[in-house]
Amino acid sequence: MLHAPPPPSLDLAELRALSVLGRGAKGVVFLVQPTAGGEPLALKAISRSSVEHAKSHGGGGGDGGGDAYRRIWFERDVLQALRHPLLPSLRGVVSTERIVGFAIDRCSGGDLNSLRRRQTEKMFSDDVIRFYAAELVLALEHLHGLGIVYRDLKPENVLIQDNGHLMLVDFDLSTKLPSPPPPPDRSKPPPPPPPLPSSASTEEKDKKNKKKKKRPLLSCFSCDAGVSPEDPSPSPSSSPSPAVAGEASGGGASPARSPGKSNSFVGTEDYVAPEIIRGKGHDFAVDWWGLGVVLYEMLYGRTPFRGQNRKETFYRILSKDPELVGEQTPLRHLIARLLDKDPRNRIAPHAIKQHEFFRGVDWESLLTVARPPFIPTVTVTVTERDGECDAALDVERVVDEVFQSREAAKGGKTDEDDNNGDGITLLTEPPPPPPPQIDDDFKVF
C-alpha cells in the first residue's frame, strides 16, 4: 500500500462552490473557493448513495459497495502520495453523510481533447505533440516508479495547468503493482555467459523434458481467476462499460494471476490495451499502449481502433494494425512501437525516451519550460468582497441530483450495462473569442 500522512480535512461549509466543471457516474467536479481566501480548487465529490447502491445492486450480490469504497480510499492514498509537477496533490478531503470529496488544484486550461478540438485542423503539429508526449512520459514514469499503473490514459484525463504544463488526473481506475525493474545500465559490461553443460547433465535434462511433454495439455491452464491486491474482485459481467470500474473478467475462463500482474478489466473503450481485453493479466505496459492511442489521436484527430460498437472496437484492438497514413516519420514509427499488441514486444520506457522522435528533448529541464504550446487565460475568481457574486451551489444537492438522474436514465441497467462509464466528463466552457490557437511554428527543443 501507499504510505502517506493523513490528508487534511476540509469543512464543506468553508468551501464556496462556484460552478460545475464535470459530471460522472457517481460524482461531480466543482470549482470551489475557500471562504477563508486562497486559490480556487477543484473538488471531486462522490455520492455515498451511489456507493450504497452498488452494494445492494452489485452483480451477483458481491460486495460492490466495499469495492467502491476501496477504490475511493485508494484514489485518496494515491493523491496523497503524489509529489510531482505534472500530477495533482491532495489539498484536502471532504466527508459528510451524503458525499466524500477530494480537493486538488484547479487547472484553468481544460483538457487536452478540448484543446485539440479547438484547433483549426482539429489536430496538433509534431512539435506540439512532442512537448505534450514528453510530459506524459515523465508523468507515467513517475507513477510507475511508485508502483502505480494508471490504466485510464486518455485526453479527457490530461488537463492544462495555469502555466501551460500538463496534469494527469482521475486515479479511480489505477492499481498498485510491484515496481518495474530499473532500465539496464548500458555502461556496465554484460555478465559472462553460463558454462556449457556437460554431456551427462544434458542427457538428464532431455529425459526430464520428455516426461514434461507427457503432461496433459489442460494441466497447463488454471480456471482460478485472480486480481491484484489493490483491485476489487472481478464482476461476473462480461460486458464492461467504456470507462469500467466493475472489474469484469475478460470473458471465458480466466487464467491464474501472474506475479506482478492484474487480471482486472478496466479502462475506456477506445484506449484499452489488448492484454486487458484478453484477460490474461496486464502490467505497466498498458499505460504505454494508452500513450500510443493518445499520440495517434493528437496526430489524426481520432482514435485508431474505433468501431461501430464495443464488440467491433475490441475486435479491431485485438486484430487490426493502426492505419498510419502519411510518410514514415519518427512520430509514426513511435506510435507503431507503442501500439504493438504483444506487451512483451512493446517499446520499453527507457527506449521511448531515447527514440528518434524525442531527439533534442532536454528531459532534465522539460518541466521548467517557460512557454509551453498553450498558456490559458486565467479568469479572476469572483469573491464575496466584489459584491456581485452569484449564489453558491449546494454541492450535496447537485451530487444527489446527478446520481438520481443517471439512475433514472439507466432504467434498471447495471453499471456494467451502462455505456456512460464511471469516469468524469468535463463540461467545456465556451471558449472566449477568438478560440485558443496554438502557434503552428511552436518550437521548444
Side-chain angles (χ1 to χ4, degrees):
M1 289 293 293
L2 299 168
H3 298 285
S9 296
L10 297 177
D11 189 343
L12 185 59
E14 297 178 357
L15 298 175
R16 195 168 189 281
L18 303 175
S19 63
V20 174
L21 299 177
R23 294 190 179 99
K26 300 178 177 66
V28 183
V29 178
F30 296 88
L31 174 65
V32 298
Q33 179 77 48
T35 55
E39 294 296 320
L41 301 170
L43 176 67
K44 178 180 178 179
I46 302 163
S47 166
R48 289 187 182 271
S49 296
S50 68
V51 178
E52 296 302 321
H53 182 82
K55 180 183 295 185
S56 59
H57 293 80
D63 187 20
D67 291 342
Y69 274 120
R70 178 160 58 172
R71 283 201 167 279
I72 292 172
W73 306 139
F74 180 73
E75 183 175 12
R76 175 201 62 188
D77 293 344
V78 169
L79 291 172
Q80 182 65 8
L82 297 180
R83 298 289 186 275
H84 192 275
L86 303 178
L87 298 169
S89 295
L90 185 61
R91 301 304 180 189
V93 173
V94 173
S95 181
T96 72
E97 292 183 356
R98 294 161 64 183
I99 67 162
V100 59
F102 308 132
I104 64 173
D105 292 325
R106 184 270 305 259
C107 294
S108 62
D111 65 65
L112 196 59
N113 192 47
S114 298
L115 179 61
R116 177 188 61 78
R117 290 178 179 274
R118 295 203 296 265
Q119 306 311 302
T120 303
E121 301 295 330
K122 303 290 190 293
M123 58 191 69
F124 296 132
S125 68
D126 282 17
D127 289 305
V128 172
I129 294 174
R130 181 177 295 107
F131 178 83
Y132 289 142
E135 292 210 326
L136 287 174
V137 168
L138 291 184
L140 292 174
E141 188 178 55
H142 184 78
L143 289 175
H144 293 180
L146 297 175
I148 299 170
V149 192
Y150 183 62
R151 303 201 297 187
D152 198 22
L153 185 59
K154 56 185 177 182
E156 291 81 359
N157 285 345
V158 182
L159 305 186
I160 311 294
Q161 300 183 57
D162 295 355
N163 61 10
H165 291 271
L166 300 183
M167 179 179 287
L168 193 59
V169 299
D170 208 351
F171 293 84
D172 60 343
L173 297 187
S174 301
T175 192
K176 184 81 164 61
L177 292 179
S179 299
D185 188 352
R186 301 183 184 275
S187 63
K188 296 181 180 180
L196 293 174
S198 64
S199 58
S201 61
T202 303
E203 291 177 0
E204 292 179 0
K205 287 184 177 180
D206 288 340
K207 292 179 180 178
K208 291 182 179 179
N209 288 336
K210 289 180 180 179
K211 292 181 179 180
K212 288 182 179 179
K213 289 180 181 179
K214 295 179 180 179
R215 185 174 54 175
L217 177 63
L218 291 177
S219 68
C220 299
F221 297 86
S222 170
C223 294
D224 296 327
V227 295
S228 63
E230 306 296 339
D231 287 341
S233 301
S235 163
S237 169
S238 60
S239 180
S241 61
V244 180
E247 302 290 313
S249 167
S254 298
R257 176 178 174 270
S258 303
K261 290 191 175 185
S262 168
N263 284 75
S264 307
F265 198 126
V266 296
T268 299
E269 186 172 313
D270 283 11
Y271 305 86
V272 67
E275 57 265 35
I276 292 181
I277 299 175
R278 295 189 186 104
K280 295 183 178 180
H282 61 269
D283 55 17
F284 300 92
V286 300
D287 286 341
W288 303 120
W289 171 277
L291 177 63
V293 178
V294 170
L295 296 191
Y296 187 101
E297 189 170 7
M298 288 196 285
L299 177 62
Y300 291 105
R302 57 182 173 83
T303 53
F305 303 107
R306 172 169 291 184
Q308 296 297 319
N309 50 50
R310 184 187 310 162
K311 183 178 180 180
E312 183 181 346
T313 297
F314 285 175
Y315 168 76
R316 294 174 63 87
I317 290 173
L318 291 172
S319 61
K320 300 294 184 181
D321 292 327
E323 297 179 358
L324 295 166
V325 179
E327 62 177 317
Q328 180 63 268
T329 62
L331 174 55
R332 290 183 174 90
H333 181 266
L334 175 60
I335 291 174
R337 293 293 313 280
L338 289 166
L339 295 181
D340 193 310
K341 299 186 188 303
D342 188 342
R344 297 169 298 181
N345 298 330
R346 201 168 297 153
I347 186 169
H350 65 277
I352 294 174
K353 297 176 75 171
Q354 296 171 2
H355 192 274
E356 176 68 18
F357 179 64
F358 290 118
R359 173 179 288 186
V361 173
D362 185 348
W363 295 96
E364 298 299 324
S365 61
L366 178 63
L367 300 179
T368 61
V369 169
R371 295 292 302 177
F374 166 67
I375 299 179
T377 301
V378 181
T379 57
V380 178
T381 303
V382 179
T383 57
E384 288 184 336
R385 63 175 176 272
D386 294 318
E388 46 183 69
C389 148
D390 296 333
L393 298 174
D394 185 330
V395 171
E396 292 179 317
R397 181 179 61 80
V398 172
V399 172
D400 285 343
E401 288 177 352
V402 168
F403 169 66
Q404 291 168 6
S405 63
R406 180 177 181 273
E407 289 303 308
K410 283 167 58 177
K413 293 187 296 183
T414 65
D415 283 337
E416 288 75 16
D417 296 324
D418 182 26
N419 288 338
N420 292 327
D422 289 327
I424 295 292
T425 300
L426 293 181
L427 304 180
T428 305
E429 299 179 358
Q437 292 286 323
I438 293 177
D439 186 359
D440 291 337
D441 297 325
F442 167 79
K443 298 282 185 182
V444 70
F445 305 116

